[in-house]
Structures are given as C-alpha cells and as structure tokens.
C-alpha cells in the first residue's frame, strides 16, 4: 500500500505499521493518539501546532490541563482525554522499574515453574516455556490439551509460538495424570521431532519434562537430550 494514496489522517498509522515506531515523528505519534484533525488541518498538522506551542517538549505538554488542550481548534473532550491519558501512561511507565525476567538454570527450576499448572490435572496438557539466549523466560503457555492418557503435540505450533516471541530456546513439558514418570514411545518421538525441527531454525530444545503431582522426569538429566 502506498502511503500517498491514504487519507492524511491515516498515514501515521500506516507508517507505524510498515516502518516501525522509531520511524514515526513526535507529531505523527500525537496524531495517532488524536485520530483526526479538524476542518482545516489534518491530524498531523494539528499535532504539530500543539507541539509547537510547548516547544516540542512532551514534559511541557503533560503539564497542560484538559482546559488548555480544549483551546486548540479540533480538540474536543475525547481527544483531550486521549492525549492526557497517553502522557500519564508514559509518566507511570517512567516511574516503574523494569521487571527482571525469571531465569531457568536447571530442570528443577522448570519443574517449580510448571508444577502449579500441571500437577493436579486429570487430563494431559502439553506446555512450553520459551526462553532467550540467557535462559530467561519470555513466555510460557499451554499449547495442547488432551485426554487422560495423551495429548497431541503439533511441532509447527510449538515453533510458530517460539518465533512470535523471538525465542531461541525451548523447554517443553507434559503431565502424566496416572502418576507414571516413564516416557512413552510417543513422548520420545515428539521430543526428537522438536529437537530436529529446532536445529533448522536455530532454536534449541533444552529439555522435556514429564510431571506428576510431586515429581518429574527430565529428558536432559537422563541423557536423552
């Protein structure tokens, strides 16, 4: 889609989508927040005029009251609240500490994370933990649910999810509701399939855990991986 073919109020959104957030100017960001301009100005032109009034300084813009914002032609109550809300989110974000991602350094760490989700289930579930190159958790989720004796895992879904979260390492796990920790032939086969598929994508399978209520089996610890 050509940006020039779009209505001017739509161009900042499309630019954000096509080129990323860093390619969007301050006035374009503000235009996206407002959504539209007025009869005489596009959203970008209105945003540029508002920012010029505060010397293009976001801190000064955040000091404007709703009544100050309403003085600009084309800014109604809804737009004023949207601007103030976006600035308040930025303010609160700047005051928060970055949350340190949890790191996994052993099969026991993975078990402790997954046990609350899997230990008491009466049916099988197949979970995955997606990690970065430092073994820090990016995302964890249940990918498949099955019956009492099995769950069907699709390797394509595992790696689709990994790619969506920019993961470079994976730990997979499932529970055995009957209480046996012995891996089945199917468990061994799916482990090998995931491992082989990961090699093509440079995504390592670190471990596969089988969980019961109070214990676990690690393919890595047992030398299978």
């Amino acid at each position: 889609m050509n940006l020039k073919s779009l209505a001017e109020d739509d161009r900042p959104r499309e630019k954000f989508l096509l080129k990323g957030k860093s390619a969007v100017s301050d006035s374009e960001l503000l235009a996206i927040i407002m959504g539209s301009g007025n009869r005489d100005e596009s959203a970008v032109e209105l945003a540029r005029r508002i920012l010029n009034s505060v010397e293009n300084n976001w801190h000064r813009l955040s000091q404007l009251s709703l009544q100050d914002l309403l003085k600009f032609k084309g800014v109604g109550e809804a737009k004023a609240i949207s601007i103030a809300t976006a600035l308040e989110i930025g303010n609160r974000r700047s005051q928060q500490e970055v949350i340190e991602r949890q790191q996994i350094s052993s099969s026991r760490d993975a078990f402790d994370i997954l046990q609350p989700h899997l230990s008491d289930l009466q049916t099988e579930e197949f979970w995955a933990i997606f990690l970065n190159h430092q073994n820090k958790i990016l995302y964890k989720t249940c990918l498949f649910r099955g019956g009492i004796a099995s769950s069907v895992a699709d390797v394509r879904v595992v790696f689709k999810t990994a790619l969506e979260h920019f993961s470079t390492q994976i730990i997979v796990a499932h529970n055995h509701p009957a209480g046996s920790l012995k891996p089945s032939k199917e468990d061994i086969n799916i482990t090998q399939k995931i491992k082989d598929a990961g090699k093509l994508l440079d995504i390592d399978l670190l471990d596969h855990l089988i969980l019961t209520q109070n214990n676990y089996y690690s393919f890595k610890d047992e030398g299978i991986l």
Side-chain angles (χ1 to χ4, degrees), residues 6-192:
L6 295 169
E8 195 163 357
D9 282 348
D10 293 328
R11 292 176 194 170
R13 297 185 187 88
E14 192 67 18
K15 185 176 178 181
F16 192 111
L17 180 65
L18 293 175
K19 297 184 177 181
K21 57 188 178 184
S22 61
V24 182
S25 69
D26 285 359
S27 56
E28 288 169 332
L29 283 173
L30 184 56
I32 292 171
I33 293 169
M34 292 191 297
S36 63
N38 56 45
R39 231 177 246 184
D40 302 317
E41 298 172 302
S42 68
V44 175
E45 290 169 336
L46 175 57
R48 191 176 296 122
R49 183 160 60 88
I50 293 171
L51 287 171
N52 284 340
S53 74
V54 291
E55 299 178 345
N56 295 296
N57 187 292
W58 290 106
H59 294 290
R60 286 193 58 190
L61 181 60
S62 68
Q63 293 172 346
L64 298 185
S65 67
L66 292 180
Q67 292 304 315
D68 292 330
L69 292 170
L70 290 170
K71 293 176 183 178
F72 291 95
K73 181 182 177 182
V75 177
E77 188 175 87
K79 285 181 185 175
I81 291 174
S82 294
I83 294 169
T85 299
L87 292 167
E88 179 58 22
I89 290 172
N91 178 52
R92 295 186 188 189
R93 178 181 183 273
S94 68
Q95 295 177 37
Q96 290 180 339
E97 294 182 3
V98 177
I99 297 174
E100 185 67 22
R101 295 187 183 276
Q102 193 170 2
Q103 189 174 42
I104 293 179
S105 57
S106 67
S107 60
R108 183 73 200 192
D109 289 344
F111 171 71
D112 289 341
I113 290 166
L114 292 167
Q115 186 191 28
H117 302 287
L118 288 163
S119 62
D120 294 329
L121 297 178
Q122 299 303 309
T123 57
E124 273 201 18
E125 291 188 358
F126 187 94
W127 281 63
I129 303 175
F130 301 94
L131 307 107
N132 64 17
H133 66 285
Q134 296 178 323
N135 287 13
K136 292 186 177 181
I137 298 174
L138 301 173
Y139 183 64
K140 69 177 186 293
T141 189
C142 174
L143 293 176
F144 311 102
R145 290 184 170 90
I148 295 173
S150 66
S151 61
V152 180
D154 188 330
V155 176
R156 293 168 297 182
V157 174
V158 173
F159 286 100
K160 175 180 179 291
T161 310
L163 292 170
E164 287 173 349
H165 293 276
F166 302 97
S167 173
T168 58
Q169 303 185 110
I170 303 172
I171 295 172
V172 297
H174 73 283
N175 60 313
H176 278 180
S180 171
L181 285 173
K182 183 179 179 180
S184 67
K185 183 178 178 181
E186 290 75 17
D187 295 337
I188 294 171
N189 287 341
I190 192 63
T191 303
Q192 191 62 47

Side-chain angles (χ1 to χ4, degrees), residues 192-207:
Q192 191 62 47
K193 284 182 179 180
I194 295 171
K195 180 181 178 180
D196 292 343
K199 288 179 180 178
L200 297 174
L201 297 169
D202 288 328
I203 299 175
D204 295 328
L205 176 63
L206 298 183
D207 206 347

